[in-house]
Amino acid sequence: MRCSFCQWVLSLAIVANLIILYYSTKLHQRLVPRHREPVSLSLHRLSNSSTPGVTVLIREFEDFENYVPAVVQSFLKHSPAQPVVVVADTFPYPPLQLPSSPHVHLVILKPSPEQPAYASRPEHYVRTDYVALVPDGVRIDVSKQLEKMLDEYKHSRSRAHMVAAPVESLSPLHCLDLKVNLKEWTATYRMSASSNLCSAIRGDAVVLLQTRDLFNLSAPLAKPLDYSLFIQSSLRGWRIRILEDISFPAPHRPLFTSSHNQWKADNHFKAIRAQLFRDFGIRRVVMEDEKQQWYGCSKETPRCFGTVHDDTPEYLYQDRWTPPCCLKALRETALYVIGILESSGVRYWLEGGSLLGAVRYQDIIPWDYDVDLGIYLEDISNCELLRNIESGSIVDEKGYVWEKAIEGDFFRVQYSETNHLHVDLWPFYPRNGIMTKDTWMDHKQDVEFPEHFLKPLVPIAFAGFTALAPNNHRSFLELKFGEGVIENPQYPNPTLKKLNRGS
């Protein structure tokens, strides 16, 4: 069968279209990777796209007054091809007048909807194997200072993950030992026995480390940078070496030209430091001068953990214990309530887990979330606050809230109207020599017991003061919890969360 002229034309047109489609597809495949290359680089740069050398990274500065352009210009003067990355949370205002150079990048961490993802990721712009964290106001005045730091780093790699060159100022650079205990929400600083090898430093310095080490941290550029960097690095066992023969001048000291700007900077620093500790879950900081700083619950803030379900507070699921600020508030509340009971003639004793904590730790159990006291029901009339609770909750002169518990016939004293950390008061009464009560909770230890444990009550160390407790602690606790309870700590509900014996 012969093909007509029209059929030949149609066949040729189809072939031509297929050829065009083939080459169009190939061209598209070649163009698309080029268009997406920055994203690919940003994701894989740390592993296979870095080059030798050091990138200067400037992170901490104030918008209202800074010397960042001069710092950048100082480095470019000695090395015009020096890569510099300036990182800000939001677009600085007034705008930074940075030198016009293909090697200088301003990175805004806050994503913008019209920008690609890599635009707000500093690691995309750091193409070198190493990065130097440079504070505001620093100047480079000797060629190859960064190269010398890098040489020192390479010689120190077996001992240190970072090296620091001091910035010349009136305050010397201090070498500190930092211990971070996330289970106890605590960071502790101490002066180091070494003058140049430690886990943290205090003071201005240029810090050099590997790029991949920095950007493998969970929050590599969180501020304040010296606090966040060393908290994260100390948890990884990293050390920093202070260099003795390399330093950087700081012509702009003091950094701020007016007392008002200094005040603004100081307040901003305190605010971002407090936010950092909250974000990192650190509630207590012991400084190198042994002064303590508390971040978390107070009488003016809500309790720093939510409603407890199945006797297992949420922090146990995070492998943490009770935040230290909560333990502090519980100690204060227990001391205050016991003082009221003693002055009113109300017989009381440490109950349940609180007695267990006193016997085992002379304190509240590190993962407990309240304090339990037993009281004699017949003594309630001796205490005006307890006597008047039936008419409604009472906020006393110290801000503590006394109330009848909604769960049953017992009383609760809360740390404040806002913060509901509390002490529970359980009224018992004797019946045929057995202490009993009217409200029972679904707790293993919530059982009747012989009154002879209370005759006499005996003193015991608890939470920094002396409280009263049943005599024969061991027999009392083993009646409540089972044999060996003192020697074998366990979380309140081990079916849901078990205590790691190595803790």
Side-chain angles (χ1 to χ4, degrees), residues 54-191:
V54 181
T55 295
V56 168
L57 194 151
I58 303 172
R59 173 67 176 114
E60 288 196 283
F61 57 91
E62 297 291 353
D63 290 1
F64 52 82
E65 184 175 4
N66 64 72
Y67 300 94
V68 172
V71 175
V72 176
Q73 189 62 58
S74 168
F75 281 89
L76 294 181
K77 179 182 177 181
H78 287 275
S79 178
Q82 172 64 56
V84 179
V85 176
V86 180
V87 181
D89 294 302
T90 57
F91 189 82
Y93 185 81
L96 295 174
Q97 302 298 322
L98 296 175
S100 178
S101 167
H103 306 290
V104 177
H105 299 279
L106 172 63
V107 181
I108 309 302
L109 294 180
K110 183 178 181 180
S112 182
E114 81 281 4
Q115 295 288 340
Y118 65 83
S120 59
R121 296 176 182 171
E123 60 268 31
H124 167 70
Y125 300 91
V126 180
R127 299 170 180 265
T128 56
D129 289 330
Y130 303 91
V131 61
L133 307 175
V134 176
D136 190 14
V138 170
R139 184 183 69 198
I140 186 169
D141 63 348
V142 178
S143 180
K144 299 187 182 301
Q145 275 179 291
L146 290 180
E147 288 86 344
K148 291 178 182 178
M149 286 190 70
L150 183 53
D151 288 341
E152 292 288 347
Y153 171 83
K154 291 177 179 177
H155 284 102
S156 304
R157 287 186 65 176
S158 62
R159 295 182 296 157
H161 276 72
M162 299 173 279
V163 292
V167 172
E168 296 171 4
S169 67
L170 296 176
S171 301
L173 199 60
H174 293 294
C175 200
L176 306 175
D177 282 329
L178 170 60
K179 304 293 184 186
V180 180
N181 187 333
L182 291 180
K183 185 179 287 292
E184 297 182 7
W185 311 69
T186 298
T188 303
Y189 294 86
R190 292 283 185 265
M191 296 301 297

Side-chain angles (χ1 to χ4, degrees), residues 318-498:
Q318 302 169 26
D319 290 321
R320 295 192 175 209
W321 289 347
T322 310
C325 54
C326 296
L327 292 174
K328 179 174 177 283
L330 282 173
R331 293 185 190 105
E332 292 174 7
T333 308
L335 175 62
Y336 179 74
V337 170
I338 285 174
I340 296 290
L341 297 178
E342 289 180 343
S343 63
S344 301
V346 176
R347 289 168 290 175
Y348 76 91
W349 60 94
L350 294 176
E351 257 293 339
S354 298
L355 176 61
L356 184 57
V359 173
R360 191 187 288 155
Y361 306 106
Q362 296 78 56
D363 200 351
I364 299 168
I365 292 175
W367 52 84
D368 210 351
Y369 48 88
D370 63 6
V371 171
D372 290 311
L373 300 177
I375 61 173
Y376 270 88
L377 177 64
E378 62 189 85
D379 292 347
I380 289 176
S381 59
N382 297 340
C383 177
E384 182 180 0
L385 287 166
L386 293 177
R387 190 169 63 244
N388 293 332
I389 280 178
E390 296 292 346
S391 302
S393 62
I394 300 169
V395 181
D396 69 18
E397 59 183 7
K398 299 293 185 180
Y400 294 91
V401 181
W402 299 67
E403 62 184 10
K404 187 78 174 290
I406 61 174
E407 298 95 326
D409 291 325
F410 64 100
F411 305 105
R412 179 162 289 161
V413 184
Q414 296 182 156
Y415 189 46
S416 73
E417 290 182 276
T418 304
N419 192 325
H420 293 173
L421 289 163
H422 57 265
V423 172
D424 283 337
L425 305 175
W426 300 92
F428 283 82
Y429 55 90
R431 185 171 59 194
N432 300 323
I434 300 297
M435 297 299 292
T436 188
K437 56 190 176 79
D438 293 330
T439 294
W440 299 96
M441 310 300 287
D442 188 23
H443 299 156
K444 177 182 178 181
Q445 71 271 20
D446 198 19
V447 296
E448 297 177 330
F449 59 90
E451 189 180 12
H452 67 72
F453 283 111
L454 308 180
K455 293 186 175 182
L457 292 167
V458 297
I460 191 171
F462 177 68
F465 59 94
T466 300
L468 293 177
N471 60 71
N472 199 341
H473 310 322
R474 178 175 294 277
S475 295
F476 185 86
L477 288 170
E478 291 189 345
L479 171 67
K480 293 262 183 174
F481 293 96
E483 187 176 351
V485 65
I486 297 174
E487 294 79 14
N488 298 290
Q490 191 50 266
Y491 287 153
N493 192 341
T495 60
L496 293 178
K497 182 67 178 178
K498 289 186 177 182

